[in-house]
Amino acid sequence: MTDSARTAADDDALLERLHALAWGAGDVVPYPTVLPGGPFPALTEVEVERAERRMGYRLPELLRRIYTEIGDGGFGPDGGLASLTEGRRPTGYPADWPCSLTVHPQDSWWGPPRSWFFLTGGGCSMEWYVSLIAADHPVLLWDADGWEPEWGQDPHDGLRYAASSLRHWLWTWADGGNVWDEALEACE
């Protein structure tokens, strides 16, 4: 089945695969970028709702299920999903894990809309976001070095659509694909 043919009806299978990659299950070893102690514990519905009130937007249902059924970040594409809880510190890490609720306000210098949810860092000057209001919740990749002010560009010129949907982006990773492929194709 191709990613484009996957729908919300396939979300249980996706969550099962993400859970196995995050925590290990059966013959699946946790993915190498999962935190050494595993993801942060899953959140309650009340904790997710509190975060949503603070953001002013509801998370996509798939993302809500990830945070309540698998864990509060620390696993997933690239460096691992950001947390919804401030002050999470993985064992052996000198700093707190990124929190989506605090990363976004820190990025206000370039003006990401509040309707973009910070998913994870992409290394160097890259950041992955998901649109909370667009149909199918596309995933966006922003490159702080991907625009040239002297050419009349602004920070939004560093933005690329990386995946047509959050579901597609997560399935790509869960199936062992590279989430960068589609984003880099858009740059060519």
Side-chain angles (χ1 to χ4, degrees):
M1 180 182 303
T2 65
D3 289 333
S4 60
R6 291 181 166 140
T7 66
D10 303 302
D11 285 356
D12 287 340
L14 175 57
L15 286 164
E16 185 178 310
R17 180 73 180 148
L18 293 174
H19 192 279
L21 289 167
W23 294 100
D27 61 345
V28 178
V29 176
Y31 196 79
T33 59
V34 171
L35 293 173
F40 297 109
L43 299 174
T44 65
E45 288 286 334
V46 170
E47 290 169 315
V48 170
E49 289 167 2
R50 187 177 311 127
E52 289 173 332
R53 279 193 304 276
R54 187 169 163 190
M55 290 184 305
Y57 289 92
R58 183 173 168 87
L59 291 174
E61 189 59 31
L62 179 57
L63 203 50
R64 290 179 113 253
R65 289 188 65 191
I66 288 169
Y67 282 109
T68 60
E69 296 176 31
I70 300 174
D72 184 25
F75 69 97
D78 254 355
L81 295 176
S83 175
L84 286 179
T85 307
E86 293 179 69
R88 294 258 193 211
R89 182 161 296 176
T91 304
Y93 278 65
D96 292 347
W97 192 253
C99 173
S100 290
L101 303 179
T102 57
V103 167
H104 198 279
Q106 292 169 356
D107 284 346
S108 61
W109 68 270
W110 70 271
R114 288 187 44 210
S115 61
W116 293 0
F117 178 79
F118 176 79
L119 290 169
T120 186
C124 296
S125 62
M126 309 285 236
E127 296 176 345
W128 297 93
Y129 289 85
V130 64
S131 172
L132 299 177
I133 60 173
D136 295 326
H137 307 289
V139 174
L140 314 163
L141 179 63
W142 186 71
D143 181 357
D145 294 331
W147 61 285
E148 297 292 335
E150 50 276 355
W151 295 350
Q153 295 180 335
D154 68 31
H156 291 86
D157 289 305
L159 180 68
R160 304 289 178 264
Y161 279 86
S164 59
S165 70
L166 176 65
R167 181 174 292 108
H168 173 79
W169 188 69
L170 290 168
W171 267 115
T172 298
W173 182 77
D175 282 343
N178 186 344
V179 294
W180 284 91
D181 288 348
E182 198 170 334
L184 295 177
E185 283 175 19
C187 295
E188 296 174 352

